[in-house]
Every structure is written in structure tokens, then in C-alpha cells.
Amino acid sequence: MTNHVTIVGSLNVDTTMKVKRMPLPGETIAALSKTNAAGGKGANQAVAAARSGAETAFVGQVGDDAGGKMMINDLKNNNVDTTGIHVDDQAGTGSAAILLDESGQNSILVYGGANQQLSVKEVEDARDQIAAADFVIAQFETPQEATLRAFQIAKENGVKTILNPAPAHEINPDLLKLTDLIIPNETESAALTGIIITDETSMLMSAAKFAQMGVRNLIITVGAKGAFYCTQDGYNFIPAFKVNAVDTTAAGDTFIGALSSQLKPDMSNIEKAIVYAQRASSLAVQKLGALPSIPTYDEVVAASKNN
């Protein structure tokens, strides 16, 4: 059965500059190369879901500019339904400036632009795409008011909700109560719960804290180490695949999008879905760029057979 996934999120044009090392404060260094590509957490997650076989729709906003046209075309070319994307004639399309060093680590500056103008109205206009989904996914690169309305519509229609609280900041408690699955990385988890992730005990404490806030299903991604999950049916830590990372920009987004393509709405196959998502993420970090690095279902399956 094919999953239907609707993403409510951000669309950014990424400019990546490769550097030997990160500059120190006040220091000017030469960039080794510069590339432009479609990105944004929302777009990355949508493309990851679509390339892994999910029927994918997008709810978001771009500016009336060349970057906006590029974003819509790139999503269409990846079989993402873009009818829920509005064009804002006031704000420019979101953008990100990414510094990428030789070890594959990055620092990112994000300009929200039209992403920050996404409102309840645009979400209401996309009610049909939200109601028809198996999963609705949102992040924090668009306003929480829009996400809250999207999750309300989802719950009214029996749709499961996935929240990626990135970048981490204060969350509306009502939004957490409407979240079926929350997927932070270890830094975001600590920012939201106050519990530093060091071992399994701290992860279980974090799961208990999120449950107190209203979210009963949790996945914490821990970079190259793997991912911890905790649901009402159990918990486990699943190690990541060992690879040589070139660019980690879209690692977490690839994980979430790929996961949503495979996860059953009742989450009964969560461990199997996490393994698939980790394989997809391990392939993404071996290539440059956000969208260009995201693998297809066939590529993930082929990599699984080769290892």
C-alpha cells in the first residue's frame, strides 16, 4: 500500500559554499566552490518521501521570483503535488547560505522570506490535501499557527501527524497535544525537554517528558550513531550505517521523508521503517547538496542488498 504524505513546510533556495574549514570570528577565507540547489527542510522531506514512493503533496509559500519558480519546478519534477504552494508577491522566496567544510560538517544561515508569511488561510485552502493524507509532516521553518491549523485538520480527518521540531524553539503546548510522532535530533530534544542525551536512560527520560507534554511516540536521531525510538509498544536504539559523509545538510530531512514513505499509520513497523530511513540518510550524506543527494526507493533497496 502506498502512503499519502502531505508536507506543511519551508521552501528555500540553498547556496552552498565549500570551505577547507569553518572561518573564525572576524576571519575571511576563500571558498573552494559555490553551488545553488533547491532545499528547505520542507522541500527536502517532501522529495525524500516522493523518491521513496509516497504520494506526496506540499503546502507552503514562495516569492514571486526566479527562486520561487525554481522551487515549484523542482518539486513538480520530483512528482510532488504543488497545488498547495502559494505565491507571495510581497516577500521573497526563502533562502539558505550553507558553509560546508572538508569533514562534511555544515553551518547554515536561513532567510525565512515567504516561508514566514505562511498563514492559516493557505492551510485552509489545502484542506483536501491534508485530509487525504496518511501522514502530515511539519517543521519549524514556517509559523506554528499554520502548523497548528494543519494538525487540527489532520486530526479531524483521522490523519497521523509528525512534527520535526527544527530549528528547536518554544512549542505551543496545543501543537504537541496534536502530534502523534515527534522526531527531534539529540540537540533539539535536549532544548525541548531540558534532558541532555547521553545514554539509553536519558533517552527514556526524554520519552517520558514528551509523553507528559502529550506526544506518546518519539524518535531521537543521534547523527552518525543511529536513532532511538519509543512508542507505546516498546523502545530500541538502532545503530546507523557507517559511511564516509561528504555533506550532512539533508541527512535528517531524508530520514524523516523516507520514514514517512514506509511507516504504517499504526506505527507497528516502526523499527523496519527506521532501518530503511537510516539507509536512505546514509546514501544522502555521501553526495553534495540537499535535494540532489536524496536517494530513490530503488537506490535504497540496492544499497541494502549490497551490505
Side-chain angles (χ1 to χ4, degrees), residues 175-189:
L175 182 60
L176 285 174
K177 289 167 189 165
L178 295 169
T179 299
D180 291 303
L181 172 63
I182 192 165
I183 310 180
N185 63 25
E186 74 270 37
T187 306
E188 292 151 1
S189 178

Side-chain angles (χ1 to χ4, degrees), residues 136-138 144-163 171-182 210 213-217 267:
V136 170
I137 305 175
Q144 279 193 50
E145 297 79 28
T147 302
L148 180 64
R149 186 66 194 121
F151 278 20
Q152 286 169 341
I153 294 169
K155 300 320 292 177
E156 288 165 12
N157 291 277
V159 177
K160 297 294 184 184
T161 55
I162 298 176
L163 180 63
I171 304 180
N172 181 335
D174 292 336
L175 182 60
L176 285 174
K177 289 167 189 165
L178 295 169
T179 299
D180 291 303
L181 172 63
I182 192 165
F210 278 117
M213 298 183 205
V215 192
R216 302 201 173 278
N217 301 291
M267 302 191 200

Side-chain angles (χ1 to χ4, degrees), residues 51-295:
R51 287 186 184 169
S52 278
E55 291 280 342
T56 309
F58 202 96
V59 181
Q61 196 152 258
V62 294
D64 186 10
D65 49 32
K69 292 181 180 70
M70 171 185 147
M71 291 304 305
I72 290 172
N73 286 335
D74 271 29
L75 289 183
K76 282 182 178 175
N77 292 338
N78 281 282
N79 300 312
V80 176
D81 176 357
T82 61
T83 54
I85 298 178
H86 284 243
V87 177
D88 187 317
D89 58 7
Q90 300 295 315
T93 299
S95 61
I98 302 166
L99 285 183
L100 177 68
D101 72 17
E102 286 188 331
S103 71
Q105 291 304 304
N106 59 51
S107 292
I108 304 174
L109 291 170
V110 176
Y111 162 68
N115 292 314
Q116 289 303 315
Q117 305 308 313
L118 184 69
S119 72
V120 169
K121 180 191 178 299
E122 287 79 49
V123 171
E124 288 284 0
D125 289 346
R127 174 180 282 273
D128 289 348
Q129 286 102 321
I130 294 168
D134 294 300
F135 294 103
V136 170
I137 305 175
Q139 328 79 34
F140 281 164
E141 289 183 339
T142 48
Q144 279 193 50
E145 297 79 28
T147 302
L148 180 64
R149 186 66 194 121
F151 278 20
Q152 286 169 341
I153 294 169
K155 300 320 292 177
E156 288 165 12
N157 291 277
V159 177
K160 297 294 184 184
T161 55
I162 298 176
L163 180 63
N164 172 218
H169 54 70
E170 193 172 333
I171 304 180
N172 181 335
D174 292 336
L175 182 60
L176 285 174
K177 289 167 189 165
L178 295 169
T179 299
D180 291 303
L181 172 63
I182 192 165
I183 310 180
N185 63 25
E186 74 270 37
T187 306
E188 292 151 1
S189 178
L192 296 171
T193 65
I195 300 165
I196 304 297
I197 300 299
T198 54
D199 55 14
E200 188 175 273
T201 300
S202 59
M203 291 177 187
L204 284 168
M205 287 170 61
S206 300
K209 183 75 171 178
F210 278 117
Q212 280 177 15
M213 298 183 205
V215 192
R216 302 201 173 278
N217 301 291
L218 165 72
I219 297 174
I220 302 175
T221 57
V222 195
K225 293 176 184 172
F228 169 84
Y229 77 85
C230 184
T231 70
Q232 289 158 295
D233 295 324
Y235 65 89
N236 198 6
F237 186 87
I238 302 173
F241 297 99
K242 298 283 184 278
V243 296
N244 293 318
V246 173
D247 181 359
T248 59
T249 303
D253 295 332
T254 299
F255 177 92
I256 290 166
L259 179 94
S260 72
S261 76
Q262 306 300 308
L263 187 62
K264 292 179 180 177
D266 66 2
M267 302 191 200
S268 59
N269 68 332
I270 191 166
E271 195 155 312
K272 187 176 178 182
I274 287 173
V275 171
Y276 175 90
Q278 285 183 324
R279 179 68 74 183
S281 186
S282 76
L283 292 173
V285 300
Q286 295 179 69
K287 292 182 182 177
L288 279 176
L291 254 64
S293 72
I294 297 169

